[in-house]
Amino acid sequence: MDRKSIDIILMCESINNSFFVFFHLLTICNCFIFSQVEELRQAIEELYYFEFVLDDIPIRGFVGYMEESGFLPHTHKIGLWSHLDFNIEYNEDRIIFANVSVRDVKPFSLDDVRETLSLTHTYSIRWFPTTVTYEKRGDRLRDSSFFPKSLEIHWLSIINSMVLVFLLLGFVVIILMRVLKSDLARYNLDEEGTDDMEQGDNGWKIIHTDVFRFPPYRSLLCAVLGVGSQFLALGTGIIVMVLLGMFNVHRHGAINSAAILLYALTCCISGYVSSNFYRQMGGDRWVWNIVLTTSLFSVPFFLTWSVVNSVHWANGSTQALPATTILLLLTVWLLVGFPLTVIGGIFGKNSAGNFEAPCRTKNIAREIPRQPWYKSAPVHMAIGGFLPFSAIFVELYYIFATVWGREQYTLYGILFIVFAILLSVGACISVALTYFQLSGEDYRWWWRSVMSTGSTGALIFLYSVFYYWRRSNMSGAVQTIEFFGYSFLTAYVFFLMLGTVSFTASLRFIRYIYVNLKMD
């Protein structure tokens, strides 16, 4: 057979862009200069695909292959499909269905190409008889769609989350505008109505001399708020940087590097918030508070990462970090992260004022009445964790599939909306749960507000267990320890962030209702 070339028009489209490119697909060697190779790499990263049309049947496939793996270190591999297997189903003399497969094909690596690229494009065709008639081939085409339905699922997830937000906001507004208005009207009556009021179910005025009583473990509480504020700034900063196009979202190594740098730079936020609030609460061991703040996340992270890296070393894995990289990361934390935490703590301590409590606190604490089961801490944690989790669980699948699988997450605008919804739901449910707790004359709201919405982190970890067993193909000690180690850290970060949002919303709510209450 003589060598021959086939001129084929390929329609290459991306999820985010679309344009027409004419390829001259040859059965002989093709040559690409370096600039064309870079364009080809970018097209593969952007998930561009080709389209053939055979007897009005579209045949689509991705131009190349991309794989990302690991966190520290991170690998980014790009390959081009130089061979295509076409599968054609026929019934007598009519074509019923056709597709393209690369299941048994090894991609041509573009990672080491620095100048020109020479390769040979080949293809093979396999014919399969079928009993499907030509009149019913439309059903066969509908059953196998190349395009993912992720965008539809994403928008359905956002609509579901938005409905949840509006319901919670409406619920909180009802509390603030109607229930609280009724409570304040009754509580601000003269002393004749006070006795009747004290016999009612709503008793949050009765505990006005205890509601601002500082909780135990104040330094730890302030450290949680400080580190939670740091990760709120870190998460928002990463998403905003991606939306502004400051780095290639398809290279997750760039996101990892930016996260490490931003974590070191935002350590001043954790030191400032923690030290400032600690001094407002009357704490005097501010040095210990700063040490606790800087260790609250860094110590669990280094312990988890050390175990994971040691397992990689023991099994001879290439994912194990060399000693030089470990020393570099420790140097960044010692020379940037820790000093900035201390500097932020000093500024926070010096700028701290008095704790703005609208009510005086008595020396003797009031006895807390026995609470019904539905006002207990486990029930509040279950409710406060489930509602925020229900707003993000669909998005969690795509994030897990990107980090631990071969999916590519590029819809960061949707991620920003879901992140805002998560924080809004956490704040709203925290206000509602705090009101119910105070209505039962239970003034121990400080840690309860942190734990109620912060329990979302526990549900995220449980979801990771479900994903490992039912959605992934991971196995072995190396993959298991790495997956659950980093999943634990992810859940811990969400606990810190949502606990901070929950506490802040509850504190503002309590100050608001007691400022508007007339005291005897």
Side-chain angles (χ1 to χ4, degrees):
M1 180 183 296
D2 297 334
R3 293 186 306 176
K4 57 183 180 180
S5 64
I6 305 173
D7 294 327
I8 302 177
I9 298 178
L10 300 178
M11 183 178 73
C12 294
E13 296 189 2
S14 168
I15 293 178
N16 299 320
N17 307 286
S18 63
F19 65 98
F20 290 90
V21 178
F22 293 84
F23 280 96
H24 189 59
L25 184 61
L26 304 175
T27 56
I28 60 176
C29 180
N30 282 348
C31 295
F32 299 88
I33 62 176
F34 182 72
S35 60
Q36 293 175 326
V37 174
E38 287 299 313
E39 293 179 359
L40 193 59
R41 285 197 185 101
Q42 183 179 359
I44 295 174
E45 290 179 340
E46 295 284 349
L47 303 181
Y48 282 80
Y49 65 91
F50 60 83
E51 179 181 277
F52 297 94
V53 178
L54 176 64
D55 193 20
D56 295 330
I57 299 176
I59 306 175
R60 303 183 181 95
F62 288 106
V63 175
Y65 165 83
M66 181 173 62
E67 178 181 354
E68 304 224 28
S69 62
F71 176 67
L72 289 174
H74 178 78
T75 58
H76 183 82
K77 299 178 181 179
I78 298 177
L80 175 67
W81 299 119
S82 59
H83 179 85
L84 300 175
D85 290 326
F86 293 95
N87 304 307
I88 302 177
E89 299 179 7
Y90 68 95
N91 188 343
E92 296 182 353
D93 60 343
R94 306 306 296 266
I95 295 177
I96 305 301
F97 179 74
N99 66 2
V100 62
S101 173
V102 290
R103 178 175 300 177
D104 300 324
V105 179
K106 183 179 181 181
F108 184 90
S109 177
L110 300 180
D111 298 326
D112 300 327
V113 178
R114 294 293 179 266
E115 296 180 357
T116 60
L117 169 64
S118 298
L119 75 159
T120 300
H121 289 284
T122 59
Y123 67 92
S124 62
I125 301 177
R126 300 174 183 175
W127 298 83
F128 301 93
T130 180
T131 58
V132 178
T133 62
Y134 181 80
E135 290 74 15
K136 295 184 178 181
R137 77 170 187 171
D139 298 334
R140 179 71 175 88
L141 295 175
R142 283 193 297 269
D143 293 338
S144 57
S145 176
F146 171 78
F147 298 103
K149 298 181 180 180
S150 58
L151 280 176
E152 299 178 11
I153 298 176
H154 272 87
W155 284 114
L156 287 175
S157 173
I158 289 180
I159 294 173
N160 171 67
S161 302
M162 289 298 294
V163 170
L164 180 61
V165 169
F166 287 136
L167 289 176
L168 286 175
L169 284 176
F171 182 62
V172 172
V173 168
I174 290 175
I175 291 178
L176 294 178
M177 301 302 295
R178 298 188 63 181
V179 179
L180 281 178
K181 184 178 180 181
S182 176
D183 289 348
L184 290 172
R186 286 195 303 119
Y187 291 164
N188 289 331
L189 292 175
D190 57 8
E191 193 170 354
E192 295 179 359
T194 302
D195 296 336
D196 296 333
M197 178 273 296
E198 290 180 354
Q199 298 175 2
D201 295 330
N202 295 318
W204 56 267
K205 180 191 175 182
I206 304 175
I207 59 173
H208 68 273
T209 58
D210 296 280
V211 70
F212 291 103
R213 188 180 304 278
F214 295 141
Y217 310 109
R218 286 177 290 176
S219 183
L220 178 60
L221 175 64
C222 295
V224 169
L225 299 179
V227 179
S229 301
Q230 177 187 0
F231 277 107
L232 283 172
L234 173 62
T236 305
I238 288 292
I239 298 177
V240 171
M241 289 173 64
V242 173
L243 293 178
L244 294 178
M246 298 184 66
F247 44 73
N248 189 348
V249 298
H250 301 286
R251 293 184 177 270
H252 297 159
I255 299 179
N256 296 342
S257 301
I260 294 173
L261 181 60
L262 276 182
Y263 172 79
L265 295 178
T266 54
C267 284
C268 58
I269 297 177
S270 64
Y272 179 87
V273 173
S274 177
S275 181
N276 185 276
F277 199 66
Y278 182 66
R279 288 305 295 263
Q280 290 184 31
M281 298 175 69
D284 52 2
R285 301 178 61 187
W286 67 274
V287 175
W288 165 249
N289 174 256
I290 292 177
V291 173
L292 181 61
T293 301
T294 193
S295 305
L296 195 62
F297 176 78
S298 59
V299 170
F301 173 79
F302 278 111
L303 287 177
T304 304
W305 174 78
S306 298
V307 172
V308 173
N309 206 55
S310 299
V311 173
H312 282 303
W313 270 342
N315 289 271
S317 173
T318 57
Q319 293 295 319
L321 283 182
T324 54
T325 306
I326 297 174
L327 292 176
L328 177 62
L329 292 175
L330 289 174
T331 302
V332 170
W333 182 77
L334 291 174
L335 297 183
V336 181
F338 182 73
L340 286 179
T341 305
V342 175
I343 293 173
I346 294 174
F347 277 99
K349 175 182 70 71
N350 295 333
S351 61
N354 297 324
F355 186 80
E356 298 178 0
C359 308
R360 294 192 303 269
T361 301
K362 289 185 177 181
N363 295 329
I364 302 176
R366 180 185 179 87
E367 182 180 358
I368 300 175
R370 184 180 179 86
Q371 300 295 313
W373 65 269
Y374 55 85
K375 290 186 178 181
S376 61
V379 175
H380 279 200
M381 291 174 61
I383 298 174
F386 175 76
L387 291 177
F389 176 79
S390 64
I392 64 169
F393 80 96
V394 174
E395 206 70 20
L396 277 180
Y397 168 77
Y398 296 99
I399 295 175
F400 272 73
T402 300
V403 175
W404 302 106
R406 296 182 178 180
E407 300 291 336
Q408 297 299 318
Y409 194 95
T410 58
L411 304 175
Y412 287 94
I414 294 180
L415 181 62
F416 181 78
I417 296 175
V418 172
F419 184 66
I421 291 174
L422 173 65
L423 301 183
S424 302
V425 172
C428 292
I429 194 63
S430 174
V431 170
L433 292 176
T434 300
Y435 173 78
F436 290 130
Q437 181 183 359
L438 297 181
S439 298
E441 302 178 18
D442 186 356
Y443 51 83
R444 299 169 300 183
W445 63 272
W446 302 78
W447 279 108
R448 178 78 67 87
S449 63
V450 174
M451 301 299 295
S452 60
T453 310
S455 60
T456 306
L459 295 180
I460 292 176
F461 184 78
L462 291 178
Y463 177 82
S464 70
V465 176
F466 167 79
Y467 181 87
Y468 178 84
W469 291 109
R470 303 303 298 269
R471 293 291 184 266
S472 73
N473 297 320
M474 290 183 283
S475 61
V478 175
Q479 291 182 327
T480 301
I481 293 176
E482 182 177 10
F483 177 84
F484 285 110
Y486 289 130
S487 296
F488 167 76
L489 290 177
T490 302
Y492 183 50
V493 169
F494 272 90
F495 164 76
L496 296 173
M497 287 195 304
L498 295 178
T500 300
V501 172
S502 177
F503 177 85
T504 303
S506 295
L507 178 60
R508 291 182 177 273
F509 169 73
I510 292 174
R511 281 177 172 166
Y512 170 80
I513 63 175
Y514 282 97
V515 162
N516 291 276
L517 183 65
K518 296 179 182 179
M519 301 301 171
D520 295 336

